[in-house]
Amino acid sequence: GAVVSQHPSWVICKSGTSVKIECRSLDFQATTMFWYRQFPKQSLMLMATSNEGSKATYEQGVEKDKFLINHASLTLSTLTVTSAHPEDSSFYICSARDDVSGELFFGEGSRLTVL
Amino acid sequence: AQSVSQHNHHVILSEAASLELGCNYSYGGTVNLFWYVQYPGQHLQLLLKYFSGDPLVKGIKGFEAEFIKSKFSFNLRKPSVQWSDTAEYFCAVTITGNQFYFGTGTSLTVIP
């Protein structure tokens, strides 16, 4: 089946630094990708919808300047957590929607720990 | 805002027992409904989905779900669970086809 790859799968950084997480659709094109945040033993919270070639659409309560999203190509979206703080520590998951089938595929997730 | 409710937070069953996980959503229009599974240490995988047609949907690994529009429900069922079904199960709803709204998840533990 279609594969969505996230990199890095885990990252530890110091407070105040920025971290970039990549989401790639490996064998299909995805005009639309989504970024989620998952807290331990909780559900996925949609953070933003990433659209290739245009600005991302953020969900209410998600800081645009804090979580920068860039969708530069049909196979790549990046999430940059700027000036990370310990409360940003979480599991970030992306999903990509196949432009042909419309099916949604999820990445493996990226675990961010901010010290 | 739309919401998806999963009332069972943690379910523990013995192997061969029957399973039913509840899912309710709060939108009166046309919805697409999904069940995803997340095995320990793995990413989310699609179990089954409903777009239209027969409200009883069959998915992978013997799972099925029934869409009952009048009850705004999409409950997941399996007649006989296995130890390998131990996982986190998420119900999801999409209206526009874009934003997916997930339920809080149900943790299923199957005891051999």
Side-chain angles (χ1 to χ4, degrees):
Chain A
V3 176
V4 174
S5 175
Q6 277 185 246
H7 178 80
S9 55
W10 60 272
V11 57
I12 301 173
C13 70
K14 292 183 179 180
S15 186
T17 60
S18 295
V19 174
K20 181 186 285 187
I21 302 170
E22 294 185 346
C23 177
R24 292 181 185 273
S25 56
L26 296 186
D27 54 3
F28 63 95
Q29 293 186 329
T31 301
T32 305
M33 294 186 178
F34 306 91
W35 287 96
Y36 296 85
R37 186 171 177 177
Q38 185 179 30
F39 292 99
K41 299 189 183 301
Q42 293 189 32
S43 185
L44 283 75
M45 181 192 78
L46 179 65
M47 297 175 66
T49 302
S50 172
N51 299 295
E52 188 270 338
S54 64
K55 291 183 180 180
T57 304
Y58 290 82
E59 293 296 298
Q60 191 174 9
V62 178
E63 299 176 60
K64 300 178 183 181
D65 297 330
K66 174 77 171 175
F67 299 99
L68 300 179
I69 291 172
N70 185 290
H71 195 151
S73 77
L74 290 173
T75 59
L76 174 64
S77 175
T78 60
L79 169 69
T80 301
V81 183
T82 62
S83 186
H85 288 95
E87 57 266 30
D88 298 325
S89 299
S90 191
F91 196 55
Y92 293 88
I93 300 173
C94 78
S95 66
R97 191 170 66 188
D98 187 324
D99 283 349
V100 175
S101 69
E103 191 164 348
L104 197 69
F105 298 95
F106 286 83
E108 310 96 325
S110 299
R111 184 167 299 286
L112 170 64
T113 301
V114 184
L115 302 175
Chain B
Q2 317 314 320
S3 70
V4 182
S5 300
Q6 290 181 243
H7 305 294
N8 315 103
H9 298 295
H10 194 184
V11 173
I12 302 173
L13 294 172
S14 298
E15 274 194 319
S18 63
L19 169 72
E20 179 159 4
L21 302 181
C23 173
N24 289 88
Y25 61 93
S26 68
Y27 181 72
T30 302
V31 295
N32 296 328
L33 300 155
F34 306 78
W35 274 98
Y36 285 89
V37 60
Q38 187 175 30
Y39 296 104
Q42 297 187 28
H43 61 280
L44 282 168
Q45 300 173 42
L46 179 66
L47 267 182
L48 47 80
K49 60 187 176 185
Y50 172 79
F51 284 0
S52 63
D54 188 344
L56 184 61
V57 179
K58 293 192 183 300
I60 61 171
K61 304 186 181 184
F63 286 92
E64 65 177 31
E66 184 174 13
F67 170 52
I68 303 179
K69 190 174 181 179
S70 61
K71 295 184 178 180
F72 299 92
S73 70
F74 190 56
N75 292 354
L76 180 71
R77 298 194 293 249
K78 185 170 183 178
S80 175
V81 295
Q82 300 173 317
W83 175 79
S84 58
D85 292 325
T86 294
E88 193 85 17
Y89 292 81
F90 295 95
C91 180
V93 171
T94 177
I95 297 149
T96 64
N98 277 339
Q99 293 94 338
F100 272 63
Y101 295 97
F102 284 83
T104 50
T106 298
S107 175
L108 172 65
T109 302
V110 180
I111 302 170

